[in-house]
Amino acid sequence: MDIIQSYGLILIIFAAVVGFFMAWGIGANDVANAMGTSVGSKALTIKQAIIIAMIFEFAGAYLAGGEVTSTIRKGIIDSAPFIPHPELLVIGMISALIAAGTWLAVASYMGWPVSTTHSIVGAIVGFAVVSAGPEAVNWAKVTGIVGSWIVTPLLSGIVAYLIFMSAQKLIFDTDNPIKNAKRFVPVYMALAGFVLSLVTIKKGLKHVSDIKFTTAESYLAAIAISILVALIGAYFVSRVKIDPEADKEMQYNNVEKIFAVLMIVTACCMAFAHGSNDVANAIGPLAAVSSIIANDGQIVAKAELAWWILPLGGLGIVSGLALFGHRVMATIGKGITHLTPSRGFAAELAAASTVVIASGTGLPISTTQTLVGAVLGVGLARGIAALNLGVVRNIAISWVVTLPIGAALAIISYFALTAILL
């Protein structure tokens, strides 16, 4: 307790620095996942993707990143054992941010798309076990997260496969691809509008204190938006000029251009929803440290966010993407399988759909694993030979080691900090 009173300001400044480092890692790794399909399919250049992501990720993080955040991320550990010694929770949360940020930096350098959620969860479990014992950890929650390694990529992969195959059958494998694109693309646009507005409402706007949607209102709003999107889409698609003499190849290229426009819309919405949701991985532990020190060592269930925390998280995400995001973008966009705008659209829409399904059922989800699963599903639609199995193997290994590495790095950081401070 003396440490909190004596070094409170120093601890908050240090926590802010490592919180920024963690947010930087999220930007370098997770945001690159969200934009990788757009870049890989050449719907956007890397520069355009970074600019779009910077605007929408920051908007999502700052506008909808949460007025109130749980001090213990996703209920992974019980705070009761720390009540007599709140300084241990402060040191532990700082250790978790150091550990998760370090692993994300390493993974991003290697071009591995890993889960930021799993990184911070592994780190929190690690320090909790050594500081308060295994009984402080909610192992059922941890087991659910491990189970999501299989469920979420499989679900998004199946959805992506179905979306891509439907586009193939209804548009590309027909005698007149352009004519059928004009007929069916507005339907895909309506589906995208519905799913992405649901993602934004459920994952993006749920944190904003003065906007509360019931489930029924969420779905009604999403349906209204999807109809509007379809009407706008139908108008613009109908204006596409058709050369009656154009060969199949030229028609395919024109259809892909239509899907490229769709991908830009999906990328914007996914970036906003991602910024609003995953900024909590960086600011949750930081908010916990700030709250404990502001309350003179008292651990409260919900921590009011200090005004500076959300902008710090948003800036961290944006700078990580701008400086380091291109490596993971290359893996997602080019490394796993060859993407065209129609394939990338199928993957991104499938990932967004899986996020909606998961948030509706309470399934713990990693946006990274969801998107990678979707890209795999699109690749498999063209046969196993379309996949780069070496890259897929490296990604799978990086997923398995994320939790234990996060835990190990947190334990090392925790012992180092306690040796210095206690």
Side-chain angles (χ1 to χ4, degrees):
M1 188 69 83
D2 290 343
I3 289 172
I4 289 174
Q5 289 163 348
S6 305
Y7 300 107
L9 181 61
I10 294 170
L11 286 170
I12 285 181
I13 292 169
F14 186 47
V17 171
V18 292
F20 182 88
F21 176 51
M22 171 67 185
W24 185 91
I26 292 172
N29 202 287
D30 247 24
V31 183
N33 294 331
M35 305 306 290
T37 47
S38 304
V39 173
S41 65
K42 297 189 168 57
L44 292 169
T45 64
I46 282 194
K47 195 173 180 182
Q48 289 167 336
I50 287 171
I51 291 167
I52 286 174
M54 284 167 74
I55 294 166
F56 284 91
E57 286 278 343
F58 187 82
Y62 187 63
L63 298 175
E67 295 302 311
V68 178
T69 187
S70 299
T71 54
I72 310 298
R73 176 77 177 141
K74 293 189 185 296
I76 294 296
I77 61 171
D78 179 15
S79 61
F82 295 99
I83 290 171
H85 304 287
E87 68 277 5
L88 296 183
L89 186 57
V90 169
I91 292 170
M93 286 298 183
I94 292 173
S95 305
L97 287 169
I98 293 170
T102 301
W103 172 238
L104 286 175
V106 171
S108 301
Y109 179 77
M110 299 301 292
W112 297 333
V114 297
S115 168
T116 54
T117 305
H118 294 179
S119 302
I120 194 69
V121 165
I124 288 174
V125 167
F127 92 76
V129 167
V130 294
S131 61
E135 61 278 5
V137 178
N138 184 341
W139 292 106
K141 285 261 187 183
V142 177
T143 306
I145 288 168
V146 172
S148 74
W149 289 347
I150 299 164
V151 177
T152 50
L154 185 65
L155 181 61
S156 64
I158 291 167
V159 175
Y161 179 88
L162 294 173
I163 293 170
F164 177 67
M165 290 307 288
S166 71
Q168 200 72 22
K169 292 275 187 293
L170 296 171
I171 299 172
F172 290 99
D173 291 346
T174 61
D175 293 333
N176 196 330
I178 287 280
K179 183 182 171 187
N180 286 304
K182 289 191 171 190
R183 184 186 302 164
F184 291 111
V185 163
V187 177
Y188 287 112
M189 293 181 94
L191 182 60
F194 177 75
V195 169
L196 292 164
S197 52
L198 259 187
V199 170
T200 307
I201 291 164
K202 281 181 166 291
K203 303 266 294 182
L205 300 180
K206 69 176 182 181
H207 303 301
V208 179
S209 55
D210 56 346
I211 301 176
K212 293 282 183 270
F213 285 98
T214 64
T215 303
E217 287 169 345
S218 299
Y219 279 92
L220 284 172
I223 290 167
I225 291 167
S226 69
I227 292 168
L228 181 65
V229 167
L231 292 172
I232 294 168
Y235 171 74
F236 281 109
V237 172
S238 70
R239 292 173 65 87
V240 174
K241 297 283 187 288
I242 305 171
D243 177 4
E245 303 300 317
D247 61 9
K248 269 282 187 69
E249 191 66 35
M250 186 57 71
Q251 290 199 39
Y252 287 155
N253 291 340
N254 287 332
V255 173
E256 290 291 0
K257 282 177 188 170
I258 295 169
F259 276 106
V261 176
L262 270 179
M263 280 213 72
I264 295 167
V265 178
T266 57
C268 294
C269 293
M270 283 298 282
F272 181 86
H274 178 270
S276 65
N277 189 61
D278 276 34
V279 71
N281 287 326
I283 68 171
L286 176 55
V289 171
S290 172
S291 166
I292 292 166
I293 292 170
N295 289 297
D296 292 324
Q298 186 184 352
I299 298 171
V300 295
K302 293 282 183 182
E304 287 292 332
L305 284 183
W307 65 269
W308 51 271
I309 291 179
L310 271 175
L312 181 86
L315 283 171
I317 283 176
V318 163
S319 58
L321 172 74
L323 295 172
F324 228 48
H326 60 279
R327 289 175 179 268
V328 179
M329 271 194 212
T331 302
I332 291 282
K334 297 175 186 170
I336 298 171
T337 191
H338 176 65
L339 290 177
T340 61
S342 58
R343 293 170 197 158
F345 170 73
E348 215 153 79
L349 183 56
S353 303
T354 307
V355 169
V356 169
I357 295 165
S359 60
T361 56
L363 185 76
I365 193 166
S366 157
T367 47
T368 304
Q369 294 178 350
T370 305
L371 196 72
V372 170
V375 173
L376 285 172
V378 168
L380 280 172
R382 294 160 49 236
I384 195 86
L387 296 176
N388 185 332
L389 294 177
V391 171
V392 174
R393 184 195 64 235
N394 290 342
I395 290 171
I397 292 168
S398 71
W399 286 359
V400 172
V401 301
T402 290
L403 268 175
I405 285 181
L409 290 172
I411 290 167
I412 293 166
S413 302
Y414 180 80
F415 282 134
L417 287 175
T418 48
I420 294 166
L421 295 169
L422 297 181

